[in-house]
Amino acid sequence: MVLRLRLARVPGPGGAKRHRPIYNIVLAQARSARDSKPMEVLGMYDPVPKETPGAKEGDRKTKEIKVDVSRAKYWLGVGAQPSNTVWRLLAMIGLVEPRYLPTGQQTQNALKAVRFPVHQNAGTSGKTRGEKAAASKSMKGNTMVGKGEIGAGTTSPMNPNEA
Amino acid sequence: MFAWLKGPGKAFRKPLPGSSNYLSAYDRQGNLIRKGREERDDRGRFADLGEDEVLKETEDRDGLPKEGARDLKPYPLNAQFKSQPVLSEDLRRAINELVTENGIDLKAVSAAFGIDVRRVAAVVRLMEVEKAWEQEGKPLAKAYNDAVLAMLPTTPYRPSNPPAHEPINDLPVHPWTRQQIFLPTSESRVFTRADAAKTFHPSLLPADERIAHPELVQIAKWEHEGFDRETRQRLMREKDSESVARKEMKEYKRKQWERRTQVTVPGRRWDFKFQDISAEKVNKDGRGHEAVGIRYGMPHEDRKKGQFKIPTKVE
């Protein structure tokens, strides 16, 4: 059986709600039920776009994703398969190459010029990058810096004043 | 009744200028008791004031002596109830000016005037509301305000030698301390307030640390140790700058942490905000309720004691 990184719809803190989905990002056996206990909870995904605190009228809303990047990387490294949705989310921060890209000459040229960070050696640095790739790079770089600073390298900090 | 209204009760028709006018300040014949005391203790109370300040304050009260503790009991049958002074209009304006225009720290103002820092903050907020209302053309209840202030004891604004406004010995009564506990201890044991707090609840702070205005208490301690006013103010300023630095450090750390663990990816219609978290906060049994994500097989703790769903801050 294969391990999957997938979403599991869970009842929120106030109990199960219609029209108010909230998902755990979990690692589970592919053939196990959605609601069964997963092997590991890697984070959560709130698919309902919310206004950021202090936002003005017409500001863009945000969808919140919390994920343990180092654990996700580890499980991808040992062959866990992300589901389509999780693949899309993880691609945004450069943990996997995007599964679907807009087709056409422009995209082909862009892909020739830029490979995604997962396919690059640690030493090489990209030149001109797309928005997504830049974002992913910064996230990866940031987390790596973070690990170095913390020391143990196993946990990401959750408390801003801890580390 | 009419005999009283025409006799001793006549004094209560109009408020005394610059003073409270409570029942207990008069004797049965309707004479102001403190008039007789005037000569004896007025000098001692104003020993630390300049001559012209004393004159000005006495003039405000039409030559009457200042009311003492026993004149401030509005209910003759309840001797424990003492009318507490409120901030005078001048003092309120001065506080607002110091904070908003001169940009002086709330804590420093609180320490200088002996006012609880929460009250200083409230004054500033309410003055803002007042200004906004004036701009909108909303009528203010000035007559009511003036009438109430004329009847209550007030703390005057004396920039050179401000009188303390708050009694600093008042202890807030925590609901957990209302129960009666019989705790056998050995006679030789030194049982402090910290021990008492632990007896009530393991996580309850001792009474000294629950006081809402530790700065005022600290100043009183320095005064007790014999530091003069300049030294006290200097020490307070040092403490303030330390706390400001601590706050800035915390903010800097938070910024660093955000830069390290957060990234916002712009999508077509909305932004995706990614936050790097630690999945290991679940503990070994997988039940840590501080961890991100909804836990499996764990009951919610939202009905437990001390869980509040009402937001405590506005962003």
Side-chain angles (χ1 to χ4, degrees), chain B residues 235-266:
Chain B
L235 287 171
M236 201 67 227
R237 248 177 274 131
E238 277 168 19
K239 264 195 133 173
D240 286 347
S241 59
E242 262 172 40
S243 76
V244 167
R246 221 177 300 132
K247 209 186 260 176
E248 275 171 4
M249 189 63 207
K250 214 172 166 185
E251 183 60 24
Y252 170 76
K253 272 191 174 173
R254 198 185 59 80
K255 284 256 169 69
Q256 289 288 315
W257 171 81
E258 271 190 10
R259 207 175 57 79
R260 212 165 60 218
T261 62
Q262 288 184 6
V263 66
T264 306
V265 181

Side-chain angles (χ1 to χ4, degrees), chain A residues 24 60 63 65 68 142-143, chain B residues 259 267 271 273 276 279 294:
Chain A
N24 273 357
R60 279 163 73 87
K63 289 189 176 187
I65 301 119
D68 188 333
N142 289 344
T143 37
Chain B
R259 207 175 57 79
D271 298 338
K273 192 177 148 209
D276 188 7
I294 309 296

Side-chain angles (χ1 to χ4, degrees), chain A residues 10-11 24 41 60-63 65-69 89 139 142-143 146 149 154-158 161, chain B residues 250 257 259-260 263 267-268 270-281 292-296 300:
Chain A
V10 283
N24 273 357
V41 180
R60 279 163 73 87
K61 294 180 175 179
T62 49
K63 289 189 176 187
I65 301 119
K66 290 178 181 171
V67 63
D68 188 333
V69 176
L89 294 177
M139 179 77 171
N142 289 344
T143 37
E149 279 173 8
T154 50
T155 55
S156 327
M158 286 174 75
N161 293 307
Chain B
K250 214 172 166 185
W257 171 81
R259 207 175 57 79
R260 212 165 60 218
V263 66
R268 191 162 50 87
W270 32 67
D271 298 338
F272 293 84
K273 192 177 148 209
F274 285 85
Q275 163 85 60
D276 188 7
I277 52 108
S278 163
E280 288 168 30
K281 295 268 169 176
V292 168
I294 309 296
R295 301 265 72 79
Y296 294 81
H300 293 304

Side-chain angles (χ1 to χ4, degrees), chain B residues 70 117 155-156 175 253 271 290 309:
Chain B
R70 76 188 98 157
V117 70
T155 307
K253 272 191 174 173
D271 298 338
E290 276 180 15
K309 291 184 186 173

Side-chain angles (χ1 to χ4, degrees), chain B residues 110-126:
Chain B
S110 155
F113 290 97
I115 304 172
D116 190 343
V117 70
R118 291 173 299 178
R119 195 182 304 281
V120 175
V123 164
V124 175
R125 278 199 301 270
L126 287 175

Side-chain angles (χ1 to χ4, degrees), chain B residues 23-243:
Chain B
L23 264 182
S24 54
Y26 293 86
D27 63 9
R28 286 186 175 277
Q29 281 72 44
N31 303 314
L32 198 58
I33 299 169
R34 74 183 115 125
K35 257 189 182 167
R37 295 202 303 262
E38 176 179 8
E39 291 307 313
R40 263 176 291 138
D41 52 25
D42 217 20
R43 227 158 273 146
R45 189 179 300 129
F46 293 113
D48 52 344
L49 286 189
E51 196 64 31
D52 45 340
E53 276 179 337
V54 176
L55 274 181
K56 191 185 159 289
E57 286 206 359
T58 326
E59 232 170 67
D60 284 348
R61 292 192 300 271
D62 260 356
L64 283 176
K66 193 171 160 52
E67 65 259 65
R70 76 188 98 157
D71 304 316
L72 288 175
K73 291 172 185 166
Y75 309 113
L77 293 180
N78 185 358
Q80 300 306 315
F81 187 97
K82 292 191 189 77
S83 183
Q84 300 290 341
V86 295
L87 300 177
S88 63
E89 200 62 33
D90 295 340
L91 187 50
R92 275 181 57 219
R93 284 190 196 296
I95 289 170
N96 188 46
E97 199 183 305
L98 283 175
V99 174
T100 54
E101 282 163 38
N102 303 1
I104 294 175
D105 194 33
L106 286 188
K107 272 187 183 170
V109 174
S110 155
F113 290 97
I115 304 172
D116 190 343
V117 70
R118 291 173 299 178
R119 195 182 304 281
V120 175
V123 164
V124 175
R125 278 199 301 270
L126 287 175
M127 292 293 272
E128 286 301 310
V129 173
E130 200 178 311
K131 264 188 217 158
W133 280 21
E134 269 168 5
Q135 275 189 352
E136 286 171 30
K138 269 192 187 175
L140 300 176
K142 274 268 186 258
Y144 174 75
N145 180 47
D146 293 346
V148 170
L149 278 184
M151 288 190 279
L152 290 172
T154 52
T155 307
Y157 173 51
R158 280 204 305 255
S160 62
N161 195 347
H165 176 72
E166 309 265 347
I168 60 166
N169 282 334
D170 289 358
L171 285 179
V173 177
H174 196 278
W176 290 353
T177 63
R178 285 196 203 128
Q179 54 181 323
Q180 210 175 34
I181 294 176
F182 291 97
L183 180 82
T185 56
S186 68
E187 240 177 77
S188 57
R189 182 178 167 191
V190 182
F191 198 78
T192 60
R193 282 177 159 184
D195 297 322
K198 274 226 182 76
T199 312
F200 282 121
H201 196 275
S203 66
L204 187 68
L205 287 175
D208 297 318
E209 288 165 42
R210 265 186 288 126
I211 295 177
H213 39 72
E215 305 87 22
L216 299 187
V217 176
Q218 185 59 59
I219 288 171
K221 277 182 184 163
W222 285 332
E223 201 174 349
H224 190 69
E225 281 167 26
F227 293 127
D228 62 342
R229 202 155 165 266
E230 276 77 53
T231 322
R232 271 181 272 146
Q233 283 192 341
R234 185 174 51 76
L235 287 171
M236 201 67 227
R237 248 177 274 131
E238 277 168 19
K239 264 195 133 173
D240 286 347
S241 59
E242 262 172 40
S243 76

